[in-house]
Amino acid sequence: MHRANVFAATILPLIVLCGSGFLFVAIDRNDARAAARADCNEPNGNITLPSGFCATIFADKIGHAREIIVAPSGAVYVNTWSGRYYGNDTPPSGGMLVALQDTTGDGHADLMARFGTTFDQGNRGGTGIGLRRDWLYAETNDRIVRYKLQDDGIIPKDKPETVVSGLPLTGDHPMHPFAIDQDGNLFVDVASATNSCQAQNRTPNVRGDKPCTELETRAGIWRYDADRTDQKFSRAERYATGIRNADGIAIDPNGDGLYATQHGRDQLYENWPKLYTQKQGANLPAEELLHVQRGDDFGWPECYYDDVNGKLVLAPEYGGDGGKKVGICADKKGPVAVFPAHWAPNGLVLYSGKNFPGSYDGGAFVAFHGSWNRAPSPQGGYNVVFQPLTDGRASGEYVVFADGFAGGDKDPGGAAHRPSGLAVGPDGALYISDDQHGRIWRVTYEGNMTAAVEAAPHSKAETKERTAAAAAPPEGIHPDAGKAAALPTPPGQAAEQVALGASLFRSQTCAGCHGADAKGTPLAPDLTNGKWLWADGTVPSIAKVIKTGVPHPKNHASGMPPRGGAQLNQAQVLALADYVWALNHKAQD
């Protein structure tokens, strides 16, 4: 049966996934819209939406807000994260879990409380959060715990119980989002520790491990019992494999099982320049939406999805030739929908509410965290898209549903906001979380309920950014490139050398990790503050770090391959070192 026909009647049961089953409540679609109404006098919280949709800032500045869940009572629960992934910054005081509620109906939370173990007590928080019956589940450090919810408030009073512990925290992807189905199956993402299972992670021309023993305990989805406590992570509970990072994971409330997003691999061009052009590296592989069943193998690390050719192809670490060979990938399971490369699909929810038009029923909303590695092309993502689905397959092209989160700077360090989590409330409202500055949006609809799916208009701030980039100055391809001329120069070097370093910094992979302003991102440190972890501040020491890389960073999530994973000759390495030196002497001169 087509999903579009499931909700054809005016009055049908609202289905909310809640604990051990579906909670059925007779509700009119018009009643749902009335319940979802809020004050939308503000400009949609500075994001753009299709006509008829409205957004309010439900909460703000609550920490690095990752995934989000809404209880049948309307209480909103958010998991926040900290630690190496966010440069070891200091989170807000109190517990890492946040409870929010709007008691006045104006679309803004007037109750907010933090609870759970604090940062000072060793808790770094996490990503995953979920509900089952009257229990709230949350990822914290290496485990998933649950809290008994109370009838007389939104804050749990009892200490948490550990459901499963010992989840891996090492490597590139230490997060553990999860989903719970109506039977109490707890599906946990245990993402890969590496980019492509190389013995030397993210290093040019290094073959992949064969066999990839990492797959025994990483790069898949594990299944546990949500009703049992004190379970231990082990390879025995692996449910599906070959998924590099399923940061978005959700149960279809219409009974079609488990879905997940896949963050595609990085550095095809940087690591294999004889096989890929820089343009191909920026646009491959596709990000994926997967329909996950027991025993599935989606192909990582041997395979990646080439959306130009519409198939899984062999990765270069495993004998691939740049996109032609298929090999064992012919036996792997493909995606149900694909999206542009490197957009980073973090949040996922399948819509079954009554507040939006019927054309959205059964489709998937995906929150794209935003890219860091599409240079020299513009960075992408930093939005929420809608993907129509019918019978578990894509039934149309995706559209950008919500845009403008980044403001005028689509860059991991400079973006105003980065979408991370999604949830649907019992009234059908869509909630969107941001892990850059801790904002939560609540999106509702006031238009024609027979309206077709449409895209959001482009953000004015991003239009200005594209216009400025198009008018490139003589000094380089970036509108700020001319600023390099004002930087000091190292002893014995010329200003042209610093300017070359600035151009290389922005046109290669450097800016993607360290930010366009070099002031750091969750991926890599600030290069302007005079603090040296691996060098002593001299040009030769900086050049040595660039040349050899940083395989095991001290304070950040991702290592740096030799030469930043770019095809740099020695003269270019020295130019970059001169530029980094100049950035750290700017305030002094």
Side-chain angles (χ1 to χ4, degrees):
M1 181 170 62
H2 289 281
R3 293 179 190 270
N5 297 327
V6 173
F7 297 104
T10 303
I11 301 177
L12 284 174
L14 169 66
I15 304 176
V16 179
L17 184 64
C18 177
S20 61
F22 295 103
L23 175 64
F24 291 86
V25 181
I27 186 166
D28 189 298
R29 192 181 287 273
N30 292 325
D31 290 342
R33 295 175 65 199
R37 283 196 187 100
D39 179 10
C40 276
N41 293 326
E42 58 191 285
N44 286 331
N46 296 321
I47 62 174
T48 63
L49 296 163
S51 58
F53 287 90
C54 161
T56 58
I57 297 175
F58 189 75
D60 208 1
K61 299 178 181 178
I62 65 170
H64 300 297
R66 295 288 286 181
E67 290 197 350
I68 185 169
I69 196 79
V70 188
S73 66
V76 176
Y77 295 95
V78 188
N79 202 350
T80 67
W81 200 14
S82 191
R84 293 178 63 205
Y85 198 79
Y86 297 96
N88 293 307
D89 62 356
T90 302
S93 59
M96 300 299 289
L97 294 167
V98 182
L100 303 160
Q101 192 157 35
D102 170 15
T103 65
T104 64
D106 66 354
H108 308 277
D110 52 286
L111 293 181
M112 186 188 88
R114 307 187 76 91
F115 64 97
T117 311
T118 68
F119 182 84
D120 291 339
Q121 293 170 327
N123 184 15
R124 298 299 177 261
T127 292
I129 196 164
L131 288 165
R132 174 167 168 77
R133 297 176 179 160
D134 50 358
W135 292 91
L136 176 72
Y137 293 72
E139 174 197 0
T140 174
N141 294 345
D142 72 337
R143 61 198 57 212
I144 294 171
V145 301
R146 66 177 187 176
Y147 293 84
K148 184 78 169 180
L149 294 176
Q150 310 297 318
D151 294 332
D152 57 347
I154 60 175
I155 300 299
K157 297 178 181 178
D158 300 330
K159 291 183 178 180
E161 299 177 352
T162 297
V163 178
V164 59
S165 61
L167 299 170
L169 294 176
T170 57
D172 288 358
H173 308 116
M175 63 288 288
H176 302 103
F178 60 84
I180 307 172
D181 72 8
Q182 62 177 332
D183 297 321
N185 292 303
L186 171 64
F187 297 101
V188 184
D189 168 42
V190 184
S192 72
T194 63
N195 177 41
S196 54
C197 204
Q198 296 169 293
Q200 297 168 274
N201 189 28
R202 299 180 181 270
T203 301
N205 303 308
V206 172
R207 296 292 177 183
D209 288 344
K210 197 170 184 178
C212 178
T213 56
E214 185 179 334
L215 288 168
E216 296 175 5
T217 56
R218 305 293 290 263
I221 292 175
W222 267 247
R223 183 176 66 178
Y224 293 92
D225 185 343
D227 297 326
R228 287 180 53 202
T229 58
D230 297 321
Q231 299 169 90
K232 305 295 183 183
F233 174 77
S234 76
R235 65 187 66 184
E237 287 79 22
R238 189 177 68 183
Y239 181 78
T241 191
I243 308 173
R244 180 174 174 270
N245 182 12
D247 219 335
I249 183 168
I251 302 297
D252 180 7
N254 291 307
D256 199 21
L258 178 68
Y259 285 79
T261 59
Q262 164 133 260
H263 283 231
R265 56 157 303 152
D266 305 322
Q267 297 169 292
L268 285 172
Y269 162 71
E270 290 83 1
N271 287 356
W272 303 94
K274 293 182 179 179
L275 297 176
Y276 300 90
T277 66
Q278 194 169 18
K279 182 178 180 181
Q280 286 177 310
N283 292 288
L284 289 172
E287 309 286 42
E288 302 172 58
L289 176 63
L290 312 174
H291 186 199
V292 184
Q293 297 171 306
R294 184 176 181 85
D296 282 344
D297 183 347
F298 293 92
W300 184 92
E302 295 99 336
C303 312
Y304 67 86
Y305 194 84
D306 183 331
D307 55 331
V308 176
N309 294 310
K311 60 184 178 182
L312 288 166
V313 297
L314 205 59
E317 291 84 358
Y318 292 88
D321 58 358
K324 300 180 184 66
K325 287 185 180 179
V326 173
I328 61 172
C329 304
D331 299 323
K332 309 298 183 181
K333 187 173 180 178
V336 300
V338 297
F339 310 96
H342 311 306
W343 277 22
N346 270 24
L348 173 66
V349 70
L350 284 88
Y351 192 79
S352 64
K354 295 295 182 293
N355 181 245
F356 291 4
S359 54
Y360 290 86
D361 288 342
F365 286 98
V366 184
F368 285 97
H369 201 222
S371 70
W372 60 271
N373 54 341
R374 288 179 62 91
S377 302
Q379 301 300 339
Y382 303 89
N383 55 25
V384 174
V385 311
F386 177 76
Q387 173 62 62
L389 296 174
T390 301
D391 296 331
R393 305 294 299 179
S395 55
E397 298 293 325
Y398 77 84
V399 299
V400 175
F401 172 80
D403 206 0
F405 294 91
D409 194 352
K410 281 193 173 182
D411 171 84
H417 303 283
R418 302 186 72 185
S420 188
L422 297 169
V424 176
D427 59 2
L430 178 70
Y431 292 79
I432 306 168
S433 67
D434 147 54
D435 72 344
Q436 185 87 320
H437 292 115
R439 179 169 290 185
I440 307 292
W441 290 264
R442 179 177 181 270
V443 180
T444 56
Y445 184 70
E446 288 292 328
N448 184 347
M449 296 304 287
T450 63
V453 170
E454 66 176 85
H458 288 301
S459 163
K460 292 181 179 179
E462 290 173 8
T463 301
K464 290 179 181 177
E465 180 192 33
R466 286 192 294 273
T467 302
E475 294 85 358
I477 63 170
H478 192 279
D480 293 334
K483 294 180 180 179
L487 292 173
T489 57
Q493 299 297 335
E496 290 80 8
Q497 183 79 349
V498 175
L500 173 61
S503 177
L504 289 167
F505 185 90
R506 295 187 175 97
S507 64
Q508 300 296 323
T509 58
C510 313
C513 289
H514 294 280
D517 58 3
K519 291 186 177 180
T521 73
L523 296 170
D526 187 339
L527 298 180
T528 69
N529 61 8
K531 297 179 181 179
W532 304 102
L533 294 174
W534 303 97
D536 60 14
T538 64
V539 170
S541 70
I542 298 169
K544 181 179 179 181
V545 173
I546 296 171
K547 183 178 179 180
T548 60
V550 180
H552 305 292
K554 295 178 180 178
N555 296 325
H556 285 78
S558 296
M560 183 181 79
R563 302 177 192 268
Q567 305 306 309
L568 303 172
N569 59 37
Q570 186 59 23
Q572 292 172 323
V573 168
L574 290 172
L576 276 169
D578 287 337
Y579 176 61
V580 174
W581 182 96
L583 289 173
N584 284 273
H585 288 77
K586 182 178 181 181
Q588 303 172 22
D589 293 15

